[in-house]
Amino acid sequence: MSPLSAARAALRVYAVGAAVILAQLLRRCRGGFLEPVFPPQPDRVAIVTGGTDGIGYSTAKHLARLGMHVIIAGNNDSKAKQVVSKIKEETLNDKVEFLYCDLASMTSIRQFVQKFKMKKILLHVLINNAGVMMVPQRKTRDGFEEHFGLNYLGHFLLTNLLVDTLKESGSPGHSARVVTVSSATHYVAELNMDDLQSSACYSPHAAYAQSKLALVLFTYHLQRLLAAEGSHVTANVVDPGVVNTDLYKHVFWATRLAKKLLGWLLFKTPDEGAWTSIYAAVTPELEGVGGRYLYNEKETKSLHVTYNQKLQQQLWSKSCEMTGVLDVTL
């Protein structure tokens, strides 16, 4: 990617962000975001990645409030005990726990899955939420560009390693669900199959957007594989909107300033940002329904290229090679 292409990618990302913020402002002026009513979820188990902060924390809290057994998968050991205690106190649900999982490490992901499976419990909901945004060029422990490695490959591996448990947990009329958090930036992304690591010319904006595009392609292909074998597991992808979290450390200074001064008005709160993830995880309206892109608790269209089944397959095959899960078949 040339410097000009990198600049163009940045402009596209900020343009789509500005469009989303404007839409959110208009909705705020017309009455705001009303919290949906979700049905109770007793005796169901959920894993939420990145559940110690931001949207992930709000998602874990709301699922616990619905009565679910919630397992927070995260790499913030120092914060975990406090977060778990706070959620238990606020929701009066003691079935909340933390298991260490560094999505930037294939070894850590495999260790997390091993520890989870040792519990001998079911898994009804997997929410692939964790991520980094527009960070400087750096690599994961396995040598992958961090956006692609953590945001995408980490969740790709995690889902593949847990899919057998999900299939065992789903039943007719009560499907298990995979919910993956993407972003409106996928609309301006390009998937470079010849340079998925963004090594030619790094752009944090292009790399972030590409990882979010990959998550949409992954979800659609996963749903096709699950449906083809008739399993009671569905996969959907959600867009939380522009949310007031701590992910904006590396964005353009004007964006950080707007967030600081007007975040309460322009940005969604973490709770508001979590509602679409929770909707995808529990609503009866999506029972048995997968392969959908959801925004503000409604189905909408994703980028046209995400429906290209050949591209979905190419990315899936490449991801299997990169993560070492060629032996995993759905």
Side-chain angles (χ1 to χ4, degrees):
M1 179 181 291
S2 67
L4 181 60
S5 296
R8 189 181 298 117
L11 288 173
R12 287 176 176 175
V13 166
Y14 288 119
V16 76
V20 173
I21 287 175
L22 178 59
Q24 291 179 178
L25 175 61
L26 291 174
R27 180 161 176 172
R28 191 82 70 191
C29 294
R30 293 171 180 169
F33 298 88
L34 301 178
E35 181 173 1
V37 177
F38 300 114
Q41 302 291 307
D43 304 319
R44 289 175 70 82
V45 181
I47 291 175
V48 181
T49 67
T52 58
D53 299 279
I55 299 172
Y57 170 79
S58 290
T59 302
K61 178 183 65 178
H62 280 276
L63 293 179
R65 186 169 289 145
L66 295 174
M68 296 190 80
H69 177 175
V70 179
I71 297 170
I72 296 172
N75 63 356
N76 195 336
D77 263 332
S78 60
K79 196 173 183 179
K81 185 176 180 180
Q82 175 187 353
V83 165
V84 169
S85 296
K86 186 176 180 181
I87 292 177
K88 285 182 177 180
E89 181 181 347
E90 290 187 14
T91 64
L92 303 180
N93 183 348
D94 286 332
K95 296 178 294 182
V96 181
E97 58 183 305
F98 173 87
L99 284 181
Y100 185 86
C101 181
D102 182 358
L103 285 163
S105 166
M106 301 289 127
T107 298
S108 179
I109 294 168
R110 293 179 183 277
Q111 290 173 344
F112 166 84
V113 172
Q114 184 179 30
K115 290 177 182 177
F116 171 77
K117 291 187 175 182
M118 287 175 62
K119 293 179 175 293
K120 303 294 183 181
I121 59 177
L122 298 176
L123 176 61
H124 304 96
V125 174
L126 169 62
I127 298 187
N128 294 321
N129 165 84
V132 294
M133 186 171 74
M134 301 177 202
V135 296
Q137 187 172 19
R138 56 196 190 198
K139 295 182 178 181
T140 68
R141 296 184 183 180
D142 303 287
F144 301 119
E145 186 278 317
E146 189 167 5
H147 292 99
F148 194 78
L150 191 158
N151 293 1
Y152 171 66
L153 287 178
H155 286 119
F156 176 89
L157 176 61
L158 180 66
T159 304
N160 272 278
L161 295 179
L162 289 172
V163 74
D164 56 342
T165 305
L166 287 161
K167 289 191 287 186
E168 292 168 4
S169 307
S171 61
H174 295 86
S175 297
R177 306 184 185 192
V178 179
V179 179
T180 299
V181 180
S182 182
S183 161
T185 57
H186 92 274
Y187 287 111
V188 295
E190 296 179 0
L191 191 74
N192 187 346
M193 292 298 298
D194 296 322
D195 187 18
L196 292 172
Q197 304 304 316
S198 305
S199 57
C201 180
Y202 182 74
S203 160
H205 306 85
Y208 173 71
Q210 178 183 243
S211 72
K212 293 301 182 177
L213 173 59
L215 288 169
V216 181
L217 289 160
F218 154 71
T219 299
Y220 291 169
H221 191 68
L222 173 62
Q223 174 60 32
R224 286 204 301 119
L225 294 175
L226 292 167
E229 66 172 21
S231 66
H232 299 293
V233 183
T234 61
N236 289 297
V237 60
V238 303
D239 176 355
V242 178
V243 185
N244 196 344
T245 69
D246 293 330
L247 286 178
Y248 296 83
K249 298 176 182 177
H250 304 287
V251 301
F252 184 52
W253 67 267
T255 303
R256 296 198 306 272
L257 181 61
K259 175 179 176 291
K260 183 176 181 179
L261 298 178
L262 296 171
W264 59 275
L265 178 64
L266 303 177
F267 289 41
K268 285 185 178 181
T269 67
D271 282 351
E272 291 168 343
W275 289 342
T276 303
S277 294
I278 301 162
Y279 174 83
V282 307
T283 182
E285 295 177 18
L286 289 177
E287 174 53 47
V289 178
R292 303 294 194 272
Y293 185 88
L294 304 168
Y295 174 58
N296 286 339
E297 301 87 65
K298 293 181 180 179
E299 180 183 354
T300 187
K301 290 290 185 182
S302 55
L303 184 66
H304 64 89
V305 74
T306 59
Y307 301 100
N308 184 322
Q309 294 184 7
K310 182 178 179 180
L311 184 60
Q312 294 171 10
Q313 178 64 63
Q314 289 176 338
L315 178 63
W316 185 278
S317 298
K318 186 69 173 178
S319 303
C320 285
E321 294 176 12
M322 298 171 82
T323 57
V325 294
L326 288 174
D327 57 326
V328 176
T329 54
L330 294 174

